[in-house]
Amino acid sequence: MKLFRSAFLLLLVLTASLTVALTVDDVVARVKAAYADADTLTCDLRRVTVSGLLGQRRVLLGVLRMDLPDRFRIEYHTPYEQILVCDGETYWLYTVKNGQCLYGPVADFAEQTMLTDLVGYFERDYAYELDGEEEVNGVATVRLRMTARDPAEAYPAGRLWIDTERWLPLQIELVDEQGNELSYRLSDIELDIALADGQFTFEAPAGVELLRMER
């Protein structure tokens, strides 16, 4: 029993020292290494928006498929069907219930940058500081505080949670100048699942109205 207790205490000490000794550079390096040989990512996705003015909260649940680094498809199924597709240059946002699809260049779509940041390219747009540890869905994470490198960034501040076992980002939360919050939480992440190339372009079903979005 004493031997077991000693081993358990040693494990706690080693685990604690791992996270305490981490630097931001360590975290970035480990995330890069986790994605180094990955071509695709699939996961369940939870998207939450909170209005800074009204306090209204909306939750969308769906599935994310990514052809790294910048092509993705999200199929939301709850509380309604919505499909978001990006081929790296153009995005399409199709809401099934109203029969409309918005589309435009990815340069005009802030969430495209956010999603690619989330899967390992985050150091290009934000500076980071360590901000403690926290469990996300029962998984131990290290939390980073984010500050946009460009003051004109749509979301100038936020936080990022990194799984300390697999070194994959599990959650990102960003806030704009009006206090509106946008967050994504990833679960059941799998890397290098074969994905059909055609799902990263959008073909509108018959009768769907296409609306080009301009800044």
Side-chain angles (χ1 to χ4, degrees), residues 14-213:
L14 290 174
T15 302
S17 63
L18 169 67
T19 52
V20 168
L22 281 175
T23 67
V24 170
D25 289 342
D26 291 332
V27 174
V28 171
R30 294 182 190 206
V31 173
K32 284 185 173 182
Y35 282 112
D37 298 320
D39 293 318
T40 68
L41 174 145
T42 62
C43 67
D44 291 333
L45 187 68
R46 180 175 181 263
R47 179 185 186 273
V48 179
T49 55
V50 180
S51 168
L53 179 62
L54 302 176
Q56 294 177 336
R57 186 172 183 269
R58 187 174 73 165
V59 180
L60 291 175
L61 304 178
V63 176
L64 168 66
R65 300 179 182 89
M66 293 196 74
D67 179 30
L68 301 171
D70 56 4
R71 300 198 304 165
F72 61 84
R73 182 185 187 93
I74 302 174
E75 296 182 4
Y76 292 111
H77 51 71
T78 304
Y80 54 82
E81 290 182 77
Q82 189 176 70
I83 298 172
L84 173 61
V85 178
C86 177
D87 66 2
E89 297 180 358
T90 302
Y91 77 90
W92 296 266
L93 179 61
Y94 170 41
T95 304
V96 176
K97 66 181 181 181
N98 65 14
Q100 287 184 337
C101 178
L102 311 179
Y103 74 101
V106 295
D108 296 342
F109 190 60
E111 286 189 53
Q112 189 269 351
T113 300
M114 179 180 177
L115 281 166
T116 55
D117 283 344
L118 182 58
V119 295
Y121 307 92
F122 51 86
E123 81 281 4
R124 68 186 179 187
D125 296 313
Y126 290 90
Y128 289 81
E129 296 178 0
L130 292 174
D131 191 41
E133 303 166 40
E134 186 178 343
E135 283 197 359
V136 175
N137 278 354
V139 177
T141 73
V142 58
R143 188 176 60 242
L144 303 179
R145 186 169 297 279
M146 307 165 59
T147 304
R149 298 184 186 278
D150 181 355
E153 181 71 45
Y155 297 98
R159 296 184 297 174
L160 181 67
W161 289 258
I162 309 292
D163 175 356
T164 55
E165 181 176 348
R166 299 180 68 190
W167 297 101
L168 300 176
L170 294 186
Q171 182 168 294
I172 187 170
E173 175 187 279
L174 296 178
V175 183
D176 69 14
E177 294 286 2
Q178 288 72 46
N180 300 309
E181 297 179 11
L182 172 62
S183 68
Y184 285 107
R185 178 179 293 181
L186 280 58
S187 58
D188 295 328
I189 300 173
E190 294 188 74
L191 301 179
D192 283 329
I193 300 296
L195 300 174
D197 191 67
Q199 65 187 298
F200 301 110
T201 56
F202 181 78
E203 294 186 11
V208 170
E209 182 182 12
L210 293 172
L211 301 173
R212 182 176 176 82
M213 302 302 293

